């Protein structure tokens, strides 16, 4: 049998429908042979029961029986193909998870291709017939995959090679001639590429979302870190403030006790004086009483009368009915408490302002003046830290950043988030403007500074008139003349605050600001006024208050 099989052509063992070696071969009445499953599926899709080769039509579907002779010959052919795979042992062994060859009987080797017609995966040796036999060459080979049956149409037992766009599902060629005949469909590869592109776009969006959330985690962690640092500073400042207040209370208590003790000493001294005076009067009155008693015992009328007329007059005495020894300690306590409240209020205000100034100074930044934004009348120092107003307009390029009508200049640095602080010396000036401005501030016409025009600033006019340019302006008054002004901005909080650095006092705060663009430090030394306002505005390094 084996020698006979070697004389036969390999094409004689191929089913003309599936073009593969016969599986359960059957012979129909016209004499042609097919795989039992192949001819059955063929008749299931046809109106008539005909032969795929000679087209002979059978009135009734023939009863199918396995052709044992052809089946044995097909098995012999398969075995001879397996014997030719003696070099299989020299191939690379598979790793866990690889697709295995379905033909290898003992040690399974790694599959190199899967056949969509045979529904079988082959190693390099067992794939050889598909590369040599003309019928097998027409089979659809793909990279090895598991579960090949999932790639076959359940209804037609054909490879799923097309994609129905109407029903959004994979179909075989027979499906396009039956259930999906009028639908829109195309190759799997084309739909794969379209959907893969969408998937890559989706993945890119997901990756961006992941990146954004990781960034948000970092921001939250950084916020927690900053919050912890600020909490430590606030705790230290609070301890300092309350320690100072406790010391002030202790001093006031000591002064009150000393006052009470001094008052008690004065009361005791006054009482001692009254007692001594009363004792002296008692002594004199006792002497008078003794003389009166002695005279009252005289029986001689003449002697009595003579002695009575010569009796010493009564010693002078004081009216003691209104004399009181009393001290009102309640009034002392009330005055002391009132004074303590006033003192504590002032000290608390000063201590809190000092602590607040220390806190904002932690956000100090290095600010320099931007010469490209400076008005032609302004004179900037070489280090861009000082600005004064001259009397002569300089010839400068009129760029879009330059102020043309106002004697203003912006800082070179911009801020669009976070907190920042800087200090400016205003000593010797009679007029100035300080604050921050938005990037879109008008630079080619007169500015009426207010938050509506993108300026958050305070100014000095006439040497003693201070205002916050809040639109309308707010008149500011304080007991001292600021020599150095600190400017603090919390972008997210919408806060702009001004501090008198030398007095460690809050001057004014803009709150509830809605910042939506970059902010720049804003300076105006104002006009020279014939030398009366010639002192420069000076950006100073921040020296933290003690």
């Amino acid at each position: 049998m084996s020698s006979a099989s070697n004389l036969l052509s390999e094409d004689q063992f191929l089913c003309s429908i599936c073009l593969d070696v016969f599986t359960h071969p059957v012979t129909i009445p016209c004499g042609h042979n097919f795989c039992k499953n192949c001819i059955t599926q063929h008749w299931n899709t046809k109106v008539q029961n005909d032969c795929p080769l000679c087209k002979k039509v059978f009135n009734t579907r023939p009863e199918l029986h396995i052709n044992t002779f052809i089946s044995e010959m097909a098995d012999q052919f398969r075995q001879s193909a397996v014997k030719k795979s003696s070099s299989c042992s020299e191939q690379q062994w598979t790793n866990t998870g690889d697709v295995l060859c379905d033909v290898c009987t003992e040690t399974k080797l790694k599959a190199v291709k899967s056949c969509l017609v045979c529904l079988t995966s082959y190693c390099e040796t067992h794939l050889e017939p598909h590369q040599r036999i003309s019928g097998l060459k027409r089979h659809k080979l793909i990279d090895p995959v598991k579960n090949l049956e999932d790639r076959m149409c359940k209804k037609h037992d054909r490879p799923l090679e097309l994609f129905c766009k109407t029903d959004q599902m994979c179909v075989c060629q027979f499906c396009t001639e039956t259930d999906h005949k009028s639908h829109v469909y195309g190759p799997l590869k084309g739909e794969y590429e379209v959907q893969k592109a969408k998937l890559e776009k989706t993945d890119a969006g997901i990756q961006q979302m992941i990146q954004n959330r990781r960034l948000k985690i970092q921001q939250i962690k950084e916020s927690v870190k900053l919050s912890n640092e600020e909490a430590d500073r606030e705790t230290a400042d609070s301890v300092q403030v309350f320690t100072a207040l406790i010391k002030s209370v202790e001093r006031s208590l000591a002064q009150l006790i000393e006052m009470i003790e001094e008052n008690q000493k004065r009361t005791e001294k006054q009482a001692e004086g009254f007692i001594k005076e009363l004792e002296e009067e008692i002594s004199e009155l006792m002497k008078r009483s003794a003389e009166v008693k002695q005279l009252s015992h005289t029986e001689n009328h003449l002697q009595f009368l003579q002695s009575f007329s010569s009796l010493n007059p009564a010693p002078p005495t004081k009216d003691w009915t209104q004399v009181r020894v009393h001290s009102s300690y309640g009034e002392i306590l009330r005055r002391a408490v009132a004074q303590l409240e006033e003192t504590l209020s002032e000290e608390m205000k000063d201590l809190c302002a000092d602590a607040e100034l220390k806190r904002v100074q932690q956000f100090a930044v290095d600010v320099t003046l931007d010469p490209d934004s400076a008005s032609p009348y302004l004179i900037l120092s070489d280090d861009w830290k000082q600005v004064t107003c001259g009397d002569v307009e300089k010839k400068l390029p009129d760029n879009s950043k330059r102020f043309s009508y106002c004697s203003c200049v912006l800082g070179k640095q911009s801020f669009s988030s976070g907190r920042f602080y800087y200090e400016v010396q205003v000593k010797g000036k009679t007029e100035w403007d300080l604050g921050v401005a938005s990037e879109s501030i008008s630079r080619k016409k007169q500015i009426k500074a207010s938050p509506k025009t993108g300026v958050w600033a305070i100014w000095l006019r006439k040497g003693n008139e201070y205002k916050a340019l809040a639109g309308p302006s707010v008149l500011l008054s304080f007991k001292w003349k600021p020599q150095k002004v600190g400017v603090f901005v919390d972008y997210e909080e919408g806060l702009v605050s001004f501090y008198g650095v030398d007095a460690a006092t809050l001057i004014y705060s803009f709150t509830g600001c809605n910042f939506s663009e970059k902010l720049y430090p804003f300076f105006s030394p104002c006009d020279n006024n014939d030398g009366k306002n010639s002192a420069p505005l000076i950006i100073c390094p921040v020296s933290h208050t003690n």
Side-chain angles (χ1 to χ4, degrees):
M1 181 70 72
S2 176
S3 61
S5 65
N6 292 333
L7 298 175
L8 296 174
S9 171
E10 293 168 338
D11 289 342
Q12 291 178 288
F13 297 101
L14 300 181
C15 171
S16 59
I17 295 178
C18 69
L19 303 179
D20 198 359
V21 178
F22 286 120
T23 301
H24 304 306
V26 294
T27 303
I28 61 177
C30 64
H32 291 116
N33 302 304
F34 306 96
C35 296
K36 183 178 181 181
N37 186 59
C38 291
I39 191 63
T40 301
Q41 291 293 333
H42 173 74
W43 286 341
N44 287 340
T45 59
K46 296 290 184 178
V47 176
Q48 295 177 323
N49 299 314
D50 63 348
C51 174
L53 292 178
C54 67
K55 304 302 180 181
K56 180 176 177 59
V57 177
F58 309 105
N59 294 328
T60 58
R61 180 177 293 194
E63 185 177 355
L64 301 177
H65 299 282
I66 302 297
N67 188 321
T68 57
F69 174 76
I70 297 177
S71 179
E72 290 176 359
M73 294 295 291
D75 289 341
Q76 286 289 332
F77 175 77
R78 287 193 183 90
Q79 291 175 10
S80 65
V82 171
K83 291 178 180 178
K84 295 177 181 179
S85 62
S86 58
S87 59
C88 287
S89 59
E90 299 176 0
Q91 296 182 22
Q92 181 179 1
W93 301 112
T94 60
N95 295 320
T96 302
D98 287 337
V99 178
L100 304 181
C101 177
D102 293 325
V103 181
C104 292
T105 56
E106 296 182 359
T107 302
K108 294 285 187 180
L109 299 181
K110 179 179 178 181
V112 295
K113 289 292 179 180
S114 293
C115 178
L116 293 178
V117 178
C118 304
L119 293 183
T120 306
S121 296
Y122 298 102
C123 64
E124 187 172 351
T125 298
H126 291 127
L127 182 66
E128 187 269 340
H130 279 74
Q131 298 170 334
R132 176 170 49 83
I133 301 174
S134 59
L136 296 178
K137 287 182 179 180
R138 293 193 292 271
H139 286 194
K140 179 71 173 179
L141 297 177
I142 61 173
D143 289 335
V145 294
K146 295 182 179 180
N147 302 323
L148 277 169
E149 60 273 10
D150 293 339
R151 303 181 67 90
M152 300 299 291
C153 176
K154 304 298 184 185
K155 185 174 183 180
H156 303 113
D157 199 26
R158 303 296 294 174
L160 297 171
E161 300 177 306
L162 301 172
F163 184 80
C164 177
K165 297 182 180 180
T166 305
D167 291 338
Q168 291 292 299
M169 61 183 295
C170 297
V171 297
C172 70
Q173 186 66 44
F174 285 174
C175 290
T176 64
E177 299 173 2
T178 54
D179 297 343
H180 301 264
K181 186 174 183 179
S182 60
H183 293 182
V184 178
Y185 54 87
L188 284 180
K189 183 177 181 182
E191 186 65 24
Y192 160 80
E193 291 175 349
V194 171
Q195 297 302 330
K196 184 178 181 182
K198 290 182 180 179
L199 196 62
E200 289 175 350
K201 186 176 180 180
T202 300
D203 184 57
I206 293 172
Q207 293 302 320
Q208 184 61 48
M209 292 173 67
I210 292 172
Q211 184 64 26
N212 291 341
R213 280 151 181 76
R214 285 175 176 169
L215 180 60
K216 179 57 68 175
I217 289 173
Q218 290 301 116
Q219 291 174 348
I220 292 173
K221 288 181 178 180
E222 184 64 23
S223 296
V224 171
K225 179 183 177 183
L226 294 175
S227 179
N228 287 334
E229 293 174 355
E230 188 165 350
D232 291 340
R233 287 195 299 270
E234 289 294 332
T235 300
D237 292 342
S238 299
V239 170
Q240 181 180 358
V241 169
F242 278 87
T243 299
L245 292 177
I246 291 171
K247 289 182 179 179
S248 180
V249 172
E250 290 174 345
R251 284 196 302 270
S252 297
L253 177 61
Q255 291 172 358
L256 176 60
I257 293 173
E258 183 179 356
M259 186 183 302
I260 293 173
E261 290 176 347
E262 290 178 353
N263 190 67
Q264 178 61 20
K265 288 179 181 178
R266 286 196 299 272
T267 300
E268 290 176 355
K269 188 174 182 180
Q270 183 184 38
E272 289 176 357
F274 287 156
I275 291 172
K276 183 178 180 181
E277 191 174 350
L278 285 167
E279 288 176 345
E280 289 176 352
E281 287 190 3
I282 290 172
S283 178
E284 291 298 324
L285 289 172
M286 289 179 68
K287 290 179 182 180
R288 174 69 174 170
S289 175
E291 291 176 354
V292 170
K293 286 181 180 180
Q294 183 178 2
L295 182 59
S296 65
H297 290 93
T298 301
E299 299 293 336
N300 187 320
H301 298 165
L302 177 61
Q303 185 180 0
F304 177 84
L305 293 173
Q306 289 176 338
S307 297
F308 184 81
S309 59
S310 60
L311 186 65
N312 292 327
T317 57
K318 186 175 181 178
D319 184 5
W320 293 93
T321 56
Q322 301 300 321
V323 176
R324 296 286 188 276
V325 177
H326 177 71
S327 179
S328 177
Y329 293 105
E331 183 61 27
I332 294 175
L333 179 59
R334 281 192 294 273
R335 288 199 303 269
V337 170
Q339 181 62 42
L340 177 61
E341 287 179 349
E342 183 178 350
T343 301
L344 287 179
S345 178
E346 290 297 324
E347 288 190 5
M348 185 177 294
K349 185 177 179 181
D350 293 342
L351 288 168
C352 289
D354 185 61
E356 175 65 13
L357 182 59
K358 286 181 180 179
R359 185 185 71 83
V360 300
Q361 284 179 332
Q362 303 295 322
F363 303 99
V365 294
D366 184 21
V367 172
T368 54
L369 302 171
D370 181 10
D372 291 336
S373 68
S375 162
Y377 284 95
L378 297 184
I379 302 171
L380 275 57
S381 62
D382 293 338
D383 61 357
W384 296 342
K385 291 286 188 179
Q386 302 184 29
V387 57
T388 57
C389 188
D391 297 321
V392 180
E393 181 179 8
K394 298 191 295 294
K395 292 183 179 180
L396 297 172
D398 188 18
N399 61 66
S400 60
K401 296 171 62 177
R402 192 176 307 284
F403 289 95
S404 299
Y405 291 92
C406 301
S407 300
C408 305
V409 60
L410 298 180
K412 201 173 185 67
Q413 294 73 26
S414 65
F415 304 90
S416 56
S417 64
R419 292 171 279 192
F420 64 94
Y421 173 85
Y422 62 94
E423 293 179 354
V424 182
Q425 180 179 303
V426 297
K427 182 178 180 180
K429 295 192 66 61
T430 58
E431 295 186 353
W432 49 258
D433 297 9
L434 284 177
V436 292
S438 60
E439 187 175 28
S440 62
I441 181 176
S442 176
R443 313 194 188 203
K444 302 303 178 183
K445 61 182 181 180
Q446 203 70 29
I447 304 171
K448 187 175 181 180
S450 74
K452 289 185 178 180
T453 59
V455 180
W456 295 263
I458 62 174
W459 77 8
L460 167 66
R461 294 292 185 269
K462 302 177 183 177
N464 58 6
E465 183 182 291
Y466 296 90
K467 286 185 178 180
L469 308 180
S473 299
V474 178
L475 185 64
L476 306 174
S477 61
F478 17 80
K479 301 175 183 178
W480 41 270
K481 186 178 177 70
Q483 304 297 304
K484 187 185 293 185
V485 176
V487 182
F488 172 71
V489 176
D490 188 327
Y491 195 97
E492 283 73 21
E493 190 69 22
L495 174 69
V496 181
S497 295
F498 298 86
Y499 295 86
V501 178
D502 35 317
T505 303
L506 177 65
I507 296 176
Y508 184 80
S509 287
F510 292 89
T511 58
C513 307
N514 186 19
F515 302 128
S516 59
E517 53 185 288
K518 291 180 180 178
L519 296 180
Y520 291 82
F522 174 80
F523 310 85
S524 176
C526 297
D527 294 339
N528 189 289
N529 285 340
D530 297 326
K532 296 178 183 178
N533 190 38
S534 60
L537 288 176
I538 305 174
I539 302 172
C540 305
V542 175
S543 299
H544 299 286
T545 56
N546 296 321

